[in-house]
């Protein structure tokens, strides 16, 4: 298999061709491609496309998809983030269970710089230096101005959907 063929993934109706095997990176079936660090160093290249204050876009050249995915996962794990960790429900009368709602709240990106906080250690009491407290107080109510027989929840109810800007 030529290098040009290996650099192209082919999507067919019922299968995908020209992808490396799952046994180890750079395994193309009948071809003997034992991983060699020196060959990898010679063929590997990073082309930086765009750099901003918050983002970087780059192309990985000469890298197997499994190695690129491993690098992606490492980068994601090493970026410090702020997320909702503990949720206290006082009165949830909605149809979404408390655990599901808490999980969904944890997926909301919080626009806060983690470098400006002290890391809370187990046993530390929450303070304004290591904790953000958010409150969500939304009630879904019938819209009395809605037309009789209205079926659109956005028109029939006030606050039929909850959005992150309501926190």
């Amino acid at each position: 298999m030529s290098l040009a063929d290996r650099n192209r993934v082919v999507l067919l109706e019922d299968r995908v061709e020209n992808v490396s095997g799952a046994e180890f990176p750079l395994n193309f079936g009948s071809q003997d491609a034992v991983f060699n660090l020196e060959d990898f160093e010679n063929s590997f290249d990073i082309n930086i496309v765009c750099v901003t204050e918050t983002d970087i876009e780059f192309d990985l050249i000469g890298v197997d998809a499994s190695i690129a995915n491993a690098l992606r996962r490492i980068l994601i794990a090493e970026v410090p983030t702020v997320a909702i960790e503990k949720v206290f429900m006082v009165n949830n009368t909605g149809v979404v269970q408390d655990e599901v709602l808490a999980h969904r709240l944890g997926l909301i990106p919080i626009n806060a710089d983690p470098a400006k906080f002290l890391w809370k250690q187990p046993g530390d009491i929450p303070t304004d230096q290591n904790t953000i407290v958010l409150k969500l107080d939304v009630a879904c109510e019938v819209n009395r101005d809605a037309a009789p027989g209205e079926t659109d929840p956005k028109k029939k109810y006030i606050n039929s959907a909850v959005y992150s800007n309501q926190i």
Side-chain angles (χ1 to χ4, degrees):
M1 179 183 302
S2 71
L3 180 61
D5 291 336
R6 287 194 323 226
N7 289 339
R8 187 167 289 115
V9 175
V10 180
L11 299 175
L12 299 175
E13 186 176 325
D14 60 338
R15 66 189 181 280
V16 179
E17 288 185 348
N18 290 356
V19 294
S20 63
E23 293 83 18
F24 56 90
L26 304 172
N27 178 22
F28 288 92
S30 62
Q31 182 182 13
D32 184 22
V34 177
F35 183 77
N36 182 327
L37 184 58
E38 187 174 319
D39 291 343
F40 176 75
E41 289 174 349
N42 292 334
S43 65
F44 175 69
D45 193 20
I46 297 179
N47 184 13
I48 298 177
V49 177
C50 177
V51 177
T52 66
E53 187 176 319
T54 59
D55 297 322
I56 183 169
E57 181 180 337
F58 56 89
D59 293 331
L60 296 174
I61 301 165
V63 176
D64 186 69
S66 60
I67 294 174
N69 188 47
L71 179 61
R72 179 191 65 84
R73 293 179 65 148
I74 291 168
L75 291 173
I76 289 172
E78 294 299 320
V79 173
T81 57
V82 175
I84 296 173
E85 186 174 317
K86 295 189 187 274
V87 176
F88 300 99
M89 304 278 182
V90 175
N91 187 17
N92 179 12
T93 59
V95 295
V96 179
Q97 298 95 341
D98 292 354
E99 295 82 11
V100 174
L101 183 59
H103 178 260
R104 288 184 179 180
L105 288 171
L107 298 174
I108 297 172
I110 305 295
N111 189 10
D113 184 2
K116 295 185 178 178
F117 292 91
L118 298 175
W119 289 100
K120 187 175 174 293
Q121 302 300 324
D124 287 354
I125 59 170
T127 67
D128 60 343
Q129 304 262 323
N130 63 16
T131 306
I132 299 174
V133 177
L134 304 171
K135 182 177 181 179
L136 176 63
D137 187 8
V138 179
C140 179
E141 300 171 349
V142 175
N143 184 1
R144 301 201 188 283
D145 296 331
E150 181 64 63
T151 58
D152 184 3
K154 292 181 179 180
K155 295 177 182 175
K156 187 174 183 177
Y157 301 104
I158 300 169
N159 293 326
S160 64
V162 178
Y163 298 101
S164 61
N165 66 351
Q166 294 172 308
I167 294 180

